[in-house]
Amino acid sequence: MLFHKYLRRTTIYAVQAYSCRALTYSKNTIILGIETSCDDTGCAVIDGKNSLLGESLYSQNAIHIRFGGVNPLVAHELHRENIEKAVAEALNKANKTSNEVDAIAVTTKPGLLVSLQVGVKYARYLSKKYSKPIVPIHHMEAHALVARMYYDLPFPYIVLLISGGHCLLALVKDINDFVLFGKSLDNAPGEVLDKVARRMKLKNISEYSKVSGGRAVEMAAQLSTNPGLFEFTLPLLRHRDCNFSFSGLKDALVRKLIKKEHEHNLKGDEIIPEVNDLCAGIQCAVAEHLAHRTQRALMYCEKNNLISPENRRLVVSGGVACNNFIFESIKFICNNMGYNTYRPPANVCTDNGVMIAWNGLEKVRKQCDIRSELSMQEVDPEAPLGINCINEVTAANIQTKATRLKRLYNNMGKVTT
């Protein structure tokens, strides 16, 4: 394949000069987005009218389920195998060719290094071959901004970004201007839900064998007949900041699970009878912790006049935003404080090429960070988001009481107190 030949000739291409025509925004601007930050190969094509022309997503979820989590080496090889097919499929659905694309947006940070490198190398290959500008994209910024493709969301607004790799609260002031209020001190919520699902052996239940651990927990929780059976102490209740911690909840679940396994004298792959109730309990604890920290972020913004009364908006994005109970929990808190709550469609909450293409389009509109070349040295697996304001939030010493949510698990994900 041409791309694999290119991979062997990267050094040669890197020293070759080429001319890249100037790019200005119009309604006819065409952006190709490439996302390979973790375990999914996503591509999308959008135009200057904010229309999604074509997209593709090659998911590795079924394969990584066997490993109990993302295996970086496997992810890298699958990205290499799928990247050309994913781009070709997105372009074909859009009825466009690579030469008709005006710019290529690609995730450069953060994520798995070996995964990011595949997407960036392929974007560089297309950029050089067709003399197209290239737009580097911060993965978390893309998650925070993609809701603007679907809703009228003027700046500023607050974002709660929750996924398998990240958990953060930030103020979105512009497409390249973010203020970080809080982040996870240990595990991300999606990571914890995946791990507890594995420990509860949910994959041994046929209905959950082909879905992610987090999705399995949500599905099992909906079947709970006694969602209050297992109670969890919420993390960081005495810490007046907006940081998160989920590892303690994971450890607490394991202790409760071991106790029940001993009570029932279970062995091997046997599952406790109360597994649905345990899923309901951990899901509720995660939702309450997220809601508690989000409430403080809203109060901090009001105290410091960062959000005007007529502009009270919060976006929930990332893979865990697909969890209806968690989203409705955040929405409940926001409603009580006069905030409107938004989330992108489920297919763009998880990693995807649409959000990358959209971020690229917004940068082209603003003539921001459009490159003729992109160095592989700019690939950064640990890139933070925005200006860190965590210490200032802590210094504000804002007291807020955690809202204990009664758990109503149904298809609508309704929440009451």
Side-chain angles (χ1 to χ4, degrees):
M1 291 184 181
L2 291 176
F3 174 51
H4 294 297
K5 291 180 180 178
Y6 166 76
L7 287 175
R8 294 191 293 270
R9 300 173 58 193
T10 300
T11 303
I12 298 175
Y13 272 92
V15 298
Q16 290 179 343
Y18 71 98
S19 60
C20 189
R21 63 183 176 82
L23 176 63
T24 56
Y25 166 78
S26 77
K27 296 293 184 180
N28 297 317
T29 298
I30 304 295
I31 305 294
L32 169 67
I34 298 175
E35 155 64 17
T36 62
S37 67
C38 189
D39 60 331
D40 288 336
T41 311
C43 298
V45 181
I46 65 175
D47 65 17
K49 297 186 288 290
N50 304 348
S51 299
L52 175 60
L53 304 180
E55 66 174 312
S56 65
L57 183 69
Y58 283 69
S59 175
Q60 303 177 9
N61 181 62
I63 294 173
H64 290 294
I65 283 177
R66 300 181 213 155
F67 293 93
V70 177
N71 183 306
L73 295 180
V74 173
H76 173 258
E77 289 306 311
L78 290 174
H79 282 308
R80 281 173 56 97
E81 179 182 325
N82 293 328
I83 185 67
E84 285 186 289
K85 294 183 289 185
V87 169
E89 182 179 323
L91 288 169
N92 184 57
K93 289 180 178 179
N95 196 27
K96 300 292 180 184
T97 65
S98 296
N99 206 40
E100 291 176 288
V101 169
D102 292 295
I104 302 160
V106 60
T107 307
T108 60
K109 56 186 177 183
L112 295 175
L113 178 61
V114 292
S115 293
L116 288 166
Q117 287 173 336
V118 176
V120 172
K121 285 179 180 178
Y122 194 73
R124 279 163 43 99
Y125 162 71
L126 292 177
S127 172
K128 295 176 188 298
K129 182 176 180 179
Y130 297 100
S131 295
K132 303 296 181 181
I134 191 165
V135 185
I137 302 296
H138 190 296
H139 181 80
M140 313 312 292
E141 292 180 3
H143 269 304
L145 291 165
V146 71
R148 284 167 47 84
M149 184 174 175
Y150 302 93
Y151 303 104
D152 179 18
L153 282 170
F155 299 117
Y157 60 85
I158 303 169
V159 65
L160 171 65
L161 211 162
I162 43 179
S163 69
H166 303 277
C167 184
L168 58 86
L169 273 162
L171 179 67
V172 185
K173 300 174 69 175
D174 207 332
I175 64 168
N176 57 352
D177 190 359
F178 297 77
V179 178
L180 182 66
F181 295 147
K183 62 181 181 178
S184 179
L185 302 176
D186 38 60
N187 305 116
E191 177 188 5
V192 165
L193 291 173
D194 285 345
K195 287 181 176 179
V196 297
R198 185 162 65 250
R199 180 59 185 84
M200 288 185 284
K201 296 169 281 193
L202 292 182
K203 70 176 182 179
N204 295 339
I205 300 174
S206 59
E207 297 93 315
Y208 311 142
S209 61
K210 295 182 180 181
V211 300
S212 69
R215 176 59 180 149
V217 170
E218 181 182 13
M219 293 169 66
Q222 291 174 348
L223 301 177
S224 171
T225 56
N226 187 6
L229 179 61
F230 297 95
E231 294 291 340
F232 291 82
T233 300
L234 295 192
L236 305 179
L237 282 176
R238 296 184 179 181
H239 294 252
R240 295 185 180 180
D241 55 37
C242 291
N243 289 326
F244 303 89
S245 175
F246 296 95
S247 62
L249 292 176
K250 177 190 66 177
D251 294 342
L253 178 138
V254 171
R255 289 193 296 270
K256 295 176 188 296
L257 181 59
I258 291 174
K259 181 180 179 181
K260 283 295 178 181
E261 288 174 338
H262 287 164
E263 286 180 8
H264 295 293
N265 195 27
L266 300 185
K267 298 179 181 178
D269 290 338
E270 294 179 318
I271 298 172
I272 64 170
E274 304 91 346
V275 68
N276 294 335
D277 299 327
L278 187 54
C279 286
I282 189 65
Q283 180 176 253
C284 186
V286 169
E288 289 176 347
H289 182 44
L290 290 168
H292 181 223
R293 317 313 278 182
T294 300
Q295 184 176 358
R296 179 174 283 111
L298 304 186
M299 295 171 69
Y300 178 81
C301 286
E302 292 182 10
K303 181 177 181 179
N304 292 276
N305 299 315
L306 299 177
I307 296 286
S308 61
E310 66 276 7
N311 205 32
R312 293 179 174 178
R313 298 177 177 90
L314 180 134
V315 169
V316 187
S317 190
V320 179
C322 296
N323 183 300
N324 285 326
F325 180 81
I326 289 175
F327 176 73
E328 291 295 333
S329 299
I330 303 301
K331 186 176 180 180
F332 178 84
I333 294 296
C334 288
N335 286 346
N336 284 348
M337 297 185 66
Y339 277 75
N340 292 319
T341 314
Y342 306 85
R343 66 173 165 178
N347 65 308
V348 292
C349 281
T350 53
D351 294 349
N352 62 91
V354 177
M355 68 180 188
I356 306 304
W358 171 257
N359 198 179
L361 181 63
E362 293 223 90
K363 287 189 172 184
V364 170
R365 278 197 189 117
K366 196 172 182 179
Q367 292 294 290
C368 168
D369 210 12
I370 304 170
R371 314 280 191 86
S372 60
E373 293 188 46
L374 182 64
S375 169
M376 290 302 297
Q377 293 180 347
E378 295 187 59
V379 177
D380 185 357
E382 300 292 340
L385 176 72
I387 299 171
N388 192 317
C389 190
I390 292 174
N391 289 338
E392 287 82 350
V393 174
T394 304
N397 197 34
I398 298 172
Q399 182 177 2
T400 178
K401 184 178 180 181
T403 301
R404 291 294 185 173
L405 302 166
K406 291 180 181 178
R407 287 139 283 185
L408 297 180
Y409 293 89
N410 55 33
N411 290 335
M412 297 301 294
K414 294 178 181 178
V415 180
T416 63
T417 57

